Amino acid sequence: DREKQPSMVVENQRVAVEATQLLPTNNDVDRIQDQRHRIFSRAPALAITLVGIAAVATTAIRSTHHTSSVFPPGFLWGAATSAYQVEGGSTAGGRGPSIWDTWCQASKTNCNGDTGDVTDDHYHLWKEDIELMRSLGLKAYRFSISWSRILPNGTADYDGDNAADHSNSTQIKGINYEGIEFYNHIVDMLLEYDIEPFITLYHWDLPQALEDRYGGWANRSIIEDFSDYARICFRFFGDRVKYWITINEGWTTAIHGYEEGSNAPGYFGEDVGGIGKPYLVGHHLLLAHARAVEVFRKEGYATLYQRGNNDEYGMIGISNSGDYRRALDPKSEADQEAATRSMEFQLGWMTDPVWLGDYPLSMRKILGARLPRFTEDEVQRLVGSADFLGLNHYSSALASKPNKAPAYGGYWAEQFVTLSDDSAWKKTEMGWNIDPDGAREILLWIDRRYDHPLIFVTENGMADYEPDLYHSIHDDARKEYFEGYIRGFGQALGQGVDLRGYFAWSLLDNFEWQYGFSKRFGIVHVNYTTLVRTVKSSADFYRQVIESNGGVISIE
């Protein structure tokens, strides 16, 4: 049993443990219904059950003062998940294996001894989870499609007389129609509840078949295979889905998967004695993004969208990870350059080519021939290939120029930057610094560098200290994190940044990649044994944020 039961006992008050053990009175139900603390009990019908949790009821954060909001009408408040982290159903409904299935099963050291075989079982509990989203007042839900659930072998088979006909999906072999049906149901129910679906096409779970066939992202063949997969998704869901994200955090795929060996497929980089090629992988990720966008626009899928006004089209973008870097000594030009260089090696690496047409100059100078070149045609395809930038932002660090060359090699050494912490910063359970002002500063940095792009914050959140259910539902640190970071983003919006939406990471506790189930990011607690969902205090706070359109948070 991965879930430790609560051990804290308050004098004369028993702290709630599992919801299935509680028998609420009518008064309890009325009170909790008002506060919208919902959980899902894995009963035969998987019905929604309202349960009184005294600890939450007495400590839920309430605010009666709403300020005028800097967030404009129509601002999209949402939450996010990804397929491998929440779906489970790893062999259900015709799904094929992904590189994460293989990676986690290969060794108990790879994913903390855990797998995503079941995780939150969203594959079977999606209806209940969408009911939960509605109860929290979400305006949008960002989720990813499992590539291998749509194409178990990784590719669609265009053959014979139909080889050139990509428009008629009924002629395409290799599609798993059970997977199509699963995501159709999710999209339809979200829209029924006025929750805007944001679909991410790739969130790290490459079909294992493509890794076996030609080495996955390290091979240029991936570009057309990804565009074929994207085309199928556009074809089946594009009439109802307005917002698309091609690639989630290409930086993480390239560095953790092909340089550090900590994420699937688990390669160490050539520069540290392995066979991974992170810069080539990053190159292919960007070209795959651009090719998918070309399909979206030139083959009519942008205009396939049929909701809203007649002149309202589908939109497509890319989500990139970006931590903010502050100069250790603001008066030091060398430290200022180090801070910029560090951001260029992360956020700029995957963003500059899309907005500026090439990799950052600092990367070109340092990496030389190891950083691939774009052809003129590729530059034309890349520049302007995003209607919006999705930003995944969690943390900050201080940056300075090292006194001497690092004793180690690889990506982190090549930046020639020393990262450190401000002693005043608190830390999350991931060890990441909490710096709400960095939220404002990174949006302003993006706004200046890329000439005022349209932005969605597609991930923001924290792992809290949650050894048991009691600590999970009393996640005041997460509430403070959200309040601080949303304030920072709002300040940037007030200074002219074109920010259109915010997605909390994550809706549910889930499988946290190489950390397995040891880290919890959700605003809803999940017992990984019983699959019971329990709303945390941070979710109640976020519901208030949404209801007030950010007005419960003072932006000053």
Side-chain angles (χ1 to χ4, degrees):
D1 186 347
R2 288 188 295 264
E3 184 70 27
K4 295 181 180 178
Q5 297 299 320
S7 58
M8 181 177 293
V9 177
V10 180
E11 187 69 24
N12 297 325
Q13 176 185 359
R14 179 163 180 79
V15 176
V17 286
E18 287 299 330
T20 52
Q21 297 175 342
L22 298 176
L23 294 175
T25 66
N26 290 335
N27 289 336
D28 288 330
V29 172
D30 291 341
R31 171 169 49 82
I32 300 305
Q33 192 168 23
D34 176 63
Q35 293 196 309
R36 299 190 185 187
H37 289 291
R38 293 176 177 266
I39 71 160
F40 297 135
S41 177
R42 194 165 169 76
L46 291 173
I48 298 176
T49 306
L50 295 177
V51 181
I53 300 181
V56 174
T58 56
T59 63
I61 301 159
R62 288 286 172 183
S63 173
T64 57
H65 178 64
H66 290 192
T67 64
S68 58
S69 176
V70 70
F71 298 96
F75 189 85
L76 286 176
W77 298 98
T81 65
S82 83
Y84 190 74
Q85 291 180 274
V86 301
E87 278 185 9
S90 61
T91 60
R95 178 186 179 274
S98 75
I99 56 174
W100 275 94
D101 295 286
T102 303
W103 174 244
C104 292
Q105 293 164 8
S107 171
K108 289 186 177 181
T109 63
N110 287 346
C111 305
N112 194 47
D114 300 316
T115 74
D117 290 353
V118 177
T119 184
D120 297 337
D121 201 22
H122 180 69
Y123 183 73
H124 295 104
L125 300 178
W126 60 271
K127 289 183 181 179
E128 290 78 9
D129 286 340
I130 295 175
E131 290 282 0
L132 173 60
M133 296 176 210
R134 181 168 71 161
S135 77
L136 296 176
L138 295 188
K139 304 301 182 184
Y141 174 51
R142 179 188 170 218
F143 63 99
S144 74
I145 290 178
S146 167
W147 187 341
S148 62
R149 196 177 291 285
I150 300 297
L151 298 171
N153 293 317
T155 55
D157 300 326
Y158 302 101
D159 56 6
D161 294 336
N162 304 320
D165 185 5
H166 293 167
S167 63
N168 190 342
S169 57
T170 62
Q171 298 175 340
I172 302 173
K173 297 179 181 179
I175 295 177
N176 173 34
Y177 287 92
E178 286 188 75
I180 297 291
E181 183 180 22
F182 170 66
Y183 293 112
N184 265 330
H185 288 324
I186 289 176
V187 170
D188 288 343
M189 188 169 178
L190 289 171
L191 294 177
E192 180 185 350
Y193 288 167
D194 294 322
I195 300 172
E196 193 75 50
F198 270 65
I199 287 184
T200 301
L201 292 170
Y202 185 74
H203 200 129
W204 308 353
D205 49 349
L206 183 74
Q208 182 62 41
L210 300 185
E211 182 68 25
D212 294 340
R213 193 172 305 155
Y214 52 66
W217 288 107
N219 191 299
R220 195 177 179 89
S221 298
I222 195 74
I223 298 170
E224 284 303 315
D225 284 344
F226 179 73
S227 70
D228 286 344
Y229 156 64
R231 179 184 291 108
I232 290 167
C233 293
F234 299 150
R235 175 68 182 85
F236 280 100
F237 313 121
D239 60 326
R240 290 153 292 150
V241 175
K242 180 177 181 178
Y243 298 100
W244 295 87
I245 295 166
T246 54
I247 304 290
N248 179 77
E249 290 191 16
W251 176 89
T252 305
T253 293
I255 294 303
H256 292 315
Y258 293 84
E259 169 73 7
E260 296 182 345
S262 58
N263 279 14
Y267 296 119
F268 288 97
E270 290 180 325
D271 47 9
V272 290
I275 62 172
K277 299 179 179 180
Y279 303 112
L280 182 62
V281 166
H283 199 68
H284 291 161
L285 283 159
L286 283 164
L287 293 176
H289 152 80
R291 179 70 181 104
V293 173
E294 184 176 50
V295 168
F296 184 72
R297 291 173 176 171
K298 290 188 175 181
E299 296 183 15
Y301 295 109
T303 57
L304 181 65
Y305 173 73
Q306 295 177 352
R307 294 188 295 117
N309 300 323
N310 292 332
D311 60 349
E312 190 174 351
Y313 301 130
M315 301 178 69
I316 193 164
I318 188 170
S319 282
N320 291 335
S321 52
D323 295 330
Y324 188 65
R325 305 300 190 218
R326 301 176 180 277
L328 177 63
D329 180 357
K331 297 180 180 179
S332 166
E333 183 176 348
D335 285 1
Q336 291 176 2
E337 291 176 352
T340 298
R341 190 164 60 250
S342 180
M343 293 181 67
E344 289 175 340
F345 262 73
Q346 187 192 35
L347 179 59
W349 178 10
M350 293 292 154
T351 311
D352 274 26
V354 178
W355 268 267
L356 305 179
D358 197 9
Y359 295 115
L361 184 59
S362 62
M363 296 187 73
R364 284 273 176 227
K365 288 181 176 179
I366 292 172
L367 298 173
R370 285 178 294 163
L371 194 62
R373 294 278 178 181
F374 296 111
T375 67
E376 290 185 9
D377 287 344
E378 289 168 346
V379 171
Q380 290 183 2
R381 204 177 262 179
L382 272 165
V383 175
S385 63
D387 298 318
F388 61 87
L389 172 63
L391 174 66
N392 295 355
H393 175 70
Y394 290 90
S395 185
S396 300
L398 302 175
S400 58
K401 181 181 178 180
N403 295 322
K404 60 181 179 179
Y408 52 89
Y411 166 85
W412 294 104
E414 287 161 339
Q415 296 178 49
F416 200 58
V417 176
T418 297
L419 298 178
S420 57
D421 304 333
D422 187 321
S423 60
W425 288 338
K426 297 179 181 179
K427 289 182 179 291
T428 71
E429 277 298 292
M430 298 293 288
W432 300 345
N433 296 314
I434 299 176
D435 173 30
D437 289 341
R440 176 188 65 245
E441 296 304 316
I442 195 167
L443 287 187
L444 293 172
W445 189 89
I446 290 169
D447 192 67
R448 292 190 299 266
R449 187 177 183 92
Y450 303 118
D451 192 22
H452 194 56
L454 191 161
I455 304 170
F456 289 94
V457 173
T458 42
E459 289 183 24
N460 177 245
M462 66 167 285
D464 200 358
Y465 175 68
E466 301 179 42
D468 50 47
L469 184 61
Y470 179 90
H471 287 85
S472 284
I473 61 178
H474 293 83
D475 61 337
D476 289 349
R478 183 174 287 112
K479 176 265 176 185
E480 293 173 4
Y481 179 99
F482 283 144
E483 184 173 20
Y485 274 79
I486 292 171
R487 176 180 295 112
F489 293 133
Q491 290 169 345
L493 195 157
Q495 294 182 41
V497 171
D498 190 5
L499 180 64
R500 302 289 183 90
Y502 171 90
F503 291 82
W505 186 271
S506 175
L507 175 68
L508 304 170
D509 288 336
N510 55 54
F511 178 86
E512 184 51 36
W513 306 113
Q514 69 265 42
Y515 300 97
F517 297 107
S518 66
K519 306 295 182 183
R520 292 181 178 270
F521 277 83
I523 59 175
V524 175
H525 176 277
V526 177
N527 182 308
Y528 298 119
T529 300
T530 66
L531 300 179
V532 169
R533 277 85 159 126
T534 308
V535 172
K536 303 178 186 179
S537 293
S538 60
D540 185 70
F541 171 74
Y542 190 45
R543 177 185 55 77
Q544 296 173 58
V545 171
I546 296 170
E547 288 179 347
S548 66
N549 196 32
V552 295
I553 298 175
S554 173
I555 303 301
E556 298 300 324

